[in-house]
Amino acid sequence: MNKFIKIFAGSFAALLMTTSCSNDLLDLVNPNTLTSGSAYNQEEDINTGLVGVYHLFNGGYYSLNLTLMFSGQSDLMLSYSPDNSIIDFITFKYPNYSKGTNSNTWNDLYAHIARCNQVISYADKVETWEKYDKNQILAQARAIRAYAYYQLTMLYQKVPYVDYVAPPGDQPSETSYDFLCEKIIADA
């Protein structure tokens, strides 16, 4: 009897290892995933997007890089940081523009601009506004976008201007300092 149980268990285990389920069972859709069709359809979504815009003030560029970019490159600041990228930045040595403080600043400010553009672009999709004031939300998003462009303009003079929800791989062209100043004033 013991031998029979071992043979049966072994056969059953071999049978389980050789069978599989159909691929249809593996094609699951996450009901919590946001898509372009399901996001930013209600005024609450737009307000949540604005909260996301404000959340970027909590770290990244606004916590350290803002100080480094403006005060760090003046006589007001001296750093004994062990981070070579910070020392290089403060002493005007840029061995690689694509990494470190310079790259983080660029990426953080454009992330801020992208979130503002989402709020501004998708606010018109919402048909009824009862809980929030649409104009106030749009004004806040435009003012924050203007501030991010002001930072970029003061640091780099000529930067790409994006006032739309950019698709992946989008590479807008550089714009002039005067054009940027006009757009900043228009947003503010």
Side-chain angles (χ1 to χ4, degrees), residues 32-187:
N32 298 321
T33 301
L34 285 177
T35 63
S36 59
S38 66
Y40 293 108
N41 288 327
Q42 302 171 3
E43 63 179 315
E44 188 67 40
D45 298 340
I46 302 298
N47 188 61
T48 301
L50 185 64
V51 170
V53 169
Y54 278 104
H55 178 71
L56 287 177
F57 282 116
N58 194 28
Y61 171 74
Y62 297 100
S63 62
L64 175 63
N65 291 355
L66 178 63
T67 305
L68 290 175
M69 295 301 270
F70 289 103
S71 297
Q73 293 186 334
S74 70
D75 293 336
L76 299 175
M77 186 174 176
L78 175 66
S79 175
Y80 295 105
S81 172
D83 186 350
N84 287 336
S85 70
I86 292 175
I87 299 295
D88 289 344
F89 191 79
I90 290 174
T91 57
F92 299 99
K93 298 175 188 170
Y94 306 114
N96 186 347
Y97 285 97
S98 298
K99 69 177 205 175
T101 305
N102 195 47
S103 176
N104 293 342
T105 296
W106 184 273
N107 292 337
D108 288 348
L109 288 171
Y110 272 104
H112 222 164
I113 290 166
R115 287 191 187 181
C116 290
N117 287 341
Q118 287 175 332
V119 170
I120 294 166
S121 296
Y122 294 130
D124 290 332
K125 284 177 49 177
V126 177
E127 294 177 9
T128 57
W129 289 80
E130 296 172 2
K131 187 175 180 184
Y132 301 103
D133 182 4
K134 176 182 176 182
N135 292 330
Q136 185 180 21
I137 287 176
L138 290 174
Q140 290 176 66
R142 284 190 181 105
I144 293 169
R145 181 175 68 183
Y147 181 69
Y149 272 118
Y150 169 77
Q151 299 289 322
L152 284 165
T153 303
M154 293 298 105
L155 293 168
Y156 303 107
Q157 300 291 313
K158 296 179 181 180
V159 297
Y161 183 78
V162 180
D163 62 353
Y164 53 90
V165 177
D170 187 40
Q171 295 184 343
S173 60
E174 183 180 90
T175 56
S176 71
Y177 176 81
D178 293 333
F179 176 81
L180 288 166
C181 289
E182 290 172 15
K183 291 295 188 176
I184 290 168
I185 292 169
D187 267 353

